[in-house]
Every structure is written in structure tokens, then in C-alpha cells.
């Protein structure tokens, strides 16, 4: 899958997990990659891996939910790596609880990172895409968008991203910009390990229990998500827009 080496991508929440795998995959595809996360130093191992493999990358610190930080991050990438015409809105957090126990802070925090963060980063980046007459935005939703007990905040944020994706695809299509969403099922990362710890389950047992319910018979790994991101970002995917791809080892949606 070839992509022009001149392209620059921003991957948010890329210091670890799914975002780190996406950053490395896009670098392998030939893009220069801004590895963005809350703490710049935490991005260094991913950047070093990319540089060692012969790619181009930049560590960028910033909170995507902060308007000024989001704009500053995009400006820095444009100046130091090149105008970003690929954006992967991957940063996300969970603050699970049943509705009657869910705090307003936990509601705001989850919607703040996923929805507000994706909005701020997309708004700041789109001008570079429109100027180039080409762009790719990929938003990380979740199968939780279909409803998941204990995740009213997360499900609302991830379902909100679907409306956001479809709307941006209509607004930006005429500028050569495609906008798509990936809705992963269960992917083994620090985020899901924290869930296992919270409910007091052994990690391996947690993985085995989940795998038993997944048609392909295993849980997903970050690279399973990086692969379809690579497709949506590729030059040949210019007629694929406004779509939601469930990547969950079986049917969803
Ligand atoms: N792991 C799964 O099973 C799963 C399933 C469906 C969807 N997702 C989604 O995929 C994405 C990545 O998940 P993961 O499992 O790799 O999570 P993770 O917790 O391992 O990594 C998320 C990264 O985002 C960063 N981040 C958090 N808030 C941020 C902010 N305000 N600004 C910048 N960076 C921030 C974190 O520091 C962290 O490095 C998330 O959007 C998540 O909701 C994950």
C-alpha cells in the first residue's frame, strides 16, 4: 500500500497502545509522523523506533482537549515536520461507572478527550488539508458506541464520533479530504489491562474469557487496528469516506 513520502501525519495518544502501533505503521508506509501525547518525553521511545527504522518522526507534547495546546501542537508539526494532511484522532480515556455513580467530572473528562479533542485537532488541521487539496482523518470510535454497561460517558463519546465523522466527510469531501472511523472491539492494551485490574480479574484470564466470545478466537492487538488505519490513509482510499469499520474479530454494527 504506497503513500507519498511527502505526507505528514499526526497521531494523537501515540505514546503507547493502539496509537503507537498506528504511528509506526504510518511511518513504515512512508509518512513523516508526529507522535503526540500528553507528555512529550513519553513519546520518545516510539519516535526512536521510527527513526531507527529509517523513518521521520517528531515527539509532540500536548493535551488535545485544550484549545491552545491543540493549535500549538498542529502549528509546531507544520513548522518542524511539514503541513499535516493526515490526522488520526486516537487519544481517548475511560472513566467507567454505572450512571448513578458517574461523576460529572468523569463525564466531562471522557467527552473532553474523545469528542472535544477530536474536534479541536480536526479544526486546527483541516486548513492544511484544504490547502493541499488532499487529506485523511481517521477517528477512533469503539464497539462501545453501540452501548456498553458502565460506559455511558465513553459510549456517548464514541457514538458522537460517528456523527462527527459522517458530518466532516460531507463538509470536507470537495477538498479531497476523506473522513472515516474505526470502531475496535477488544484490543489488548494498557487501557484494557486497567479494566481487568479494576474488576479484580487476572489479565490472562481476562484475555481468555474475552477471546472465547470473539468469532476469530482471539483478542485484538494494536497492529490489528493500525492495518485498517493504513488503508484509510492510503492514496487509493480517496473514494472511501464517511464509513465506520468495526474491527472486532467478528460482526458488529
Ligand atoms: N483498547 C481497546 O480495547 C479499545 C477498544 C475500542 C476503542 N479504543 C480506543 O482506541 C484509542 C486508543 O486506545 P488504547 O487502548 O491504545 O489506550 P491507552 O490508554 O493505552 O492509550 C491512550 C493514549 O492516549 C493518551 N491521552 C489520553 N488523554 C490524552 C489527551 N488529552 N491528549 C493527548 N493524549 C492523551 C494517553 O496518555 C495514552 O498514551 C482510544 O481512543 C480508545 O478509546 C480502544
Amino acid at each position: 500500500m504506497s503513500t507519498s513520502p511527502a505526507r505528514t501525519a499526526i497521531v494523537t495518544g501515540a505514546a503507547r497502545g493502539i496509537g503507537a502501533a498506528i504511528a509506526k505503521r504510518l511511518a513504515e508506509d512512508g509518512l513523516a509522523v508526529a507522535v503526540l501525547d500528553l507528555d512529550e518525553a513519553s513519546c520518545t521511545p516510539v519516535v526512536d523506533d521510527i527513526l531507527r527504522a529509517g523513518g521521520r518522526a517528531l515527539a509532540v507534547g500536548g493535551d488535545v482537549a485544550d484549545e491552545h495546546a491543540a493549535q500549538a501542537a498542529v502549528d509546531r508539526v507544520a513548522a518542524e515536520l511539514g503541513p499535516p494532511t493526515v490526522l488520526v484522532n486516537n487519544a481517548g480515556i475511560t472513566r467507567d461507572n454505572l450512571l448513578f455513580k458517574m461523576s460529572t467530572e468523569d463525564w466531562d473528562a471522557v467527552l473532553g478527550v474523545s469528542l472535544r479533542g477530536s474536534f479541536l485537532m480536526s479544526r486546527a488541521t483541516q486548513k492544511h488539508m484544504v490547502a493541499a487539496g488532499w487529506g485523511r482523518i481517521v477517528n477512533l470510535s469503539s464497539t462501545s458506541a453501540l452501548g456498553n454497561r458502565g460506559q455511558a460517558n465513553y459510549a456517548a463519546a464514541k457514538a458522537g464520533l460517528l456523527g462527527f465523522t459522517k458530518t466532516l466527510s460531507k463538509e470536507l469531501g470537495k477538498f479531497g479530504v476523506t473522513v472515516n472511523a474505526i470502531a475496535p472491539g477488544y484490543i489488548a492494551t494498557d487501557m484494557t489491562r486497567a479494566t481487568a485490574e479494576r474488576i479484580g480479574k487476572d489479565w490472562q484470564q481476562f484475555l481468555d474469557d474475552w477471546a472465547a466470545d470473539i468469532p476469530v478466537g482471539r483478542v485484538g492487538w494494536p497492529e490489528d487496528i493500525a492495518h485498517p488505519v493504513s488503508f484509510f490513509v492510503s492514496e487509493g482510499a480517496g473514494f472511501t469516506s464517511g464509513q465506520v469499520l468495526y474491527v472486532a474479530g467478528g460482526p458488529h454494527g
Side-chain angles (χ1 to χ4, degrees):
M1 219 167 282
S2 73
T3 308
S4 160
R7 310 282 191 208
T8 295
I10 298 177
V11 184
T12 70
R16 67 183 199 188
I18 294 170
I22 294 169
K24 290 180 194 175
R25 177 59 192 261
L26 294 185
E28 278 171 26
D29 290 345
L31 286 89
V33 181
V35 179
L36 188 152
D37 212 293
L38 284 171
D39 170 31
E40 182 170 326
S42 71
C43 302
T44 305
V46 177
V47 168
D48 287 348
D49 282 352
I50 292 172
L51 298 179
R52 258 195 305 274
R56 288 181 65 214
L58 176 72
V60 181
D63 177 353
V64 296
D66 178 299
E67 184 170 9
H68 298 293
Q71 185 64 55
V74 172
D75 291 347
R76 188 176 157 213
V77 173
E80 294 185 30
L81 209 54
T85 52
V86 174
L87 171 66
V88 183
N89 285 310
N90 167 80
I93 59 170
T94 52
R95 295 285 184 274
D96 298 351
N97 233 325
L98 293 174
L99 178 63
F100 76 103
K101 289 192 283 190
M102 186 172 286
S103 70
T104 310
E105 291 72 25
D106 285 349
W107 175 270
D108 288 344
V110 169
L111 271 83
V113 178
S114 270
L115 265 186
R116 181 182 157 90
S118 297
F119 157 65
L120 292 172
M121 289 300 297
S122 300
R123 192 181 60 181
T125 313
Q126 57 78 31
K127 80 165 191 196
H128 297 292
M129 302 184 188
V130 170
W134 188 94
R136 301 281 188 261
I137 298 176
V138 182
N139 296 316
L140 266 289
S141 179
S142 167
T143 52
S144 293
L146 301 167
N148 199 21
R149 187 178 154 81
Q151 291 198 313
N153 49 2
Y154 187 77
K158 295 303 190 183
L161 276 176
L162 302 185
F164 181 68
T165 298
K166 289 170 189 289
T167 299
L168 291 199
S169 76
K170 291 190 173 188
E171 290 187 13
L172 297 175
K174 61 175 175 288
F175 303 107
V177 179
T178 67
V179 188
N180 292 286
I182 292 178
Y186 186 78
I187 309 297
T189 66
D190 290 333
M191 179 181 273
T192 34
R193 188 186 279 267
T195 305
E197 279 166 14
R198 186 171 50 76
I199 62 174
K201 262 201 179 179
D202 170 69
W203 176 234
Q204 193 53 52
Q205 190 59 50
F206 191 68
L207 295 180
D208 293 345
D209 290 350
W210 269 97
D213 277 340
I214 298 174
V216 300
R218 66 170 178 89
V219 299
W221 299 96
E223 292 71 21
D224 291 314
I225 304 305
H227 193 70
V229 171
S230 168
F231 164 72
F232 279 137
V233 168
S234 66
E235 302 289 330
F239 202 59
T240 305
S241 196
Q243 299 305 303
V244 182
L245 183 65
Y246 290 88
V247 183
H252 278 276

